[in-house]
């Protein structure tokens, strides 16, 4: 995916997400999202923060000292004070711009809008379209960065030693017992969203489910 295609995909997901948010009731804005400890409103507000420069990033870190996850969540909660229609308008206003947060690339911007769009859509019972090629691009980036020193903003699920294979596009990674499913579900899996387990099949899906069961039993 070249730069033009990448930004076109980001813009399309921003518009789809803004349209979905525009349909939500006040009660749905307050529902828990797929991000533990984040409401739908928090996640939507976070999506208005995809164009922070160095000055804004430093200000947020100083205002909310702590871990990266703490800074991100606290900054989102600050923005969540905006009215829902203002949040939606700010997401729409980014369409057509190629600015992105300092310290990341447009690929991280794509991952952010795709994954967080699902964090909003799934718990509100809505379908939010993501073309398989777009989900695959995001999944490849997440997979490629899995062993990097970058701070992780999600809790990884125990999928090591499992082969992940998409059923709706040409995307396969790793080796071992196979986990099969739509590439969007696999993207959510490798970004720590266990809600997708019912969409997965194959020997590896059973292995993964058992690993998660044992992990929960140890808590």
């Amino acid at each position: 995916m070249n730069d033009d295609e990448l930004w076109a995909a980001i813009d399309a997901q921003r518009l789809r997400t803004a349209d979905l948010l525009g349909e939500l009731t006040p009660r749905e804005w307050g529902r828990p999202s797929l991000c533990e400890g984040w409401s739908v409103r928090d996640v939507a507000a976070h999506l208005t923060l995809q164009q922070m420069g160095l000055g804004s990033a430093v200000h947020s870190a100083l205002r909310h000292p702590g871990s990266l996850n703490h800074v991100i969540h606290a900054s989102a909660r600050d923005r969540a004070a905006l009215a829902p229609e203002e949040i939606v308008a700010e997401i729409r206003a980014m369409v057509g711009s190629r600015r992105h947060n300092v310290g990341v690339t447009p690929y991280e911007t794509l991952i952010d809008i795709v994954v967080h769009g699902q964090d909003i859509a799934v718990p509100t019972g809505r379908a939010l379209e993501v073309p398989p090629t777009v989900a695959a691009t995001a999944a490849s980036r997440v997979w490629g960065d899995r062993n990097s020193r970058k701070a992780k903003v999600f809790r990884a699920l125990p999928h090591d030693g499992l082969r992940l294979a998409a059923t709706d596009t040409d995307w396969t990674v790793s080796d071992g017992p196979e986990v099969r499913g739509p590439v969007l579900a696999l993207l959510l899996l490798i970004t720590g969203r266990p809600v997708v387990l019912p969409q997965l099949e194959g020997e590896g899906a059973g292995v993964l489910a058992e690993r998660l069961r044992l992990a929960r039993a140890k808590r």
Side-chain angles (χ1 to χ4, degrees):
M1 187 175 284
N2 62 36
D3 281 353
D4 289 342
E5 293 168 334
L6 183 59
W7 282 108
I10 291 167
D11 283 348
Q13 291 307 132
R14 282 173 170 163
L15 289 172
R16 291 184 183 112
T17 303
D19 287 346
L20 184 152
L21 288 168
E23 298 173 355
L24 299 184
T25 66
R27 185 173 184 177
E28 288 171 324
W29 276 85
R31 281 187 185 172
S33 74
L34 295 188
C35 293
E36 186 176 352
W38 290 57
S39 69
V40 164
R41 189 176 190 136
D42 292 339
V43 176
H46 169 71
L47 291 176
T48 71
L49 298 171
Q50 288 193 314
Q51 297 181 332
M52 294 178 70
L54 180 60
S56 296
V58 170
H59 176 75
S60 291
L62 292 175
R63 179 179 172 85
H64 304 291
S67 68
L68 176 62
N69 278 346
H70 171 74
V71 174
I72 291 172
H73 193 186
S75 298
R77 284 187 165 174
D78 286 347
R79 297 294 290 171
L82 293 172
E85 57 270 22
E86 292 178 295
I87 292 173
V88 173
E90 291 211 7
I91 294 172
R92 289 191 188 280
M94 290 187 286
V95 173
S97 170
R98 295 196 173 192
R99 288 180 56 203
H100 55 78
N101 285 343
V102 63
V104 303
T105 75
Y107 285 96
E108 283 69 47
T109 305
L110 178 69
I111 294 164
D112 213 37
I113 189 65
V114 169
V115 174
H116 286 315
Q118 298 303 311
D119 288 337
I120 293 167
V122 173
T124 57
R126 286 168 167 78
L128 180 59
E129 179 191 357
V130 180
T133 54
V134 172
T137 297
S140 292
R141 182 69 171 194
V142 173
W143 187 260
D145 279 350
R146 72 192 184 284
N147 295 322
S148 76
R149 292 179 177 270
K150 295 178 183 177
K152 297 294 188 292
V153 294
F154 57 85
R155 184 182 300 168
L157 298 179
H159 53 68
D160 290 347
L162 301 176
R163 174 182 170 88
L164 309 182
T167 54
D168 54 350
T169 192
D170 184 15
W171 191 85
T172 305
V173 294
S174 196
D175 295 300
E178 191 169 82
V179 180
R180 296 186 301 276
V183 68
L184 181 57
L186 296 177
L187 170 60
L188 295 181
L189 173 69
I190 62 177
T191 52
R193 277 74 174 171
V195 70
V196 299
L197 287 177
Q199 298 180 50
L200 306 177
E201 58 185 9
E203 180 185 355
V207 173
L208 177 60
E210 179 62 12
R211 289 177 181 178
L212 289 170
R213 186 190 69 78
L214 292 174
R216 286 193 294 267
K218 291 178 181 179
R219 291 179 188 172

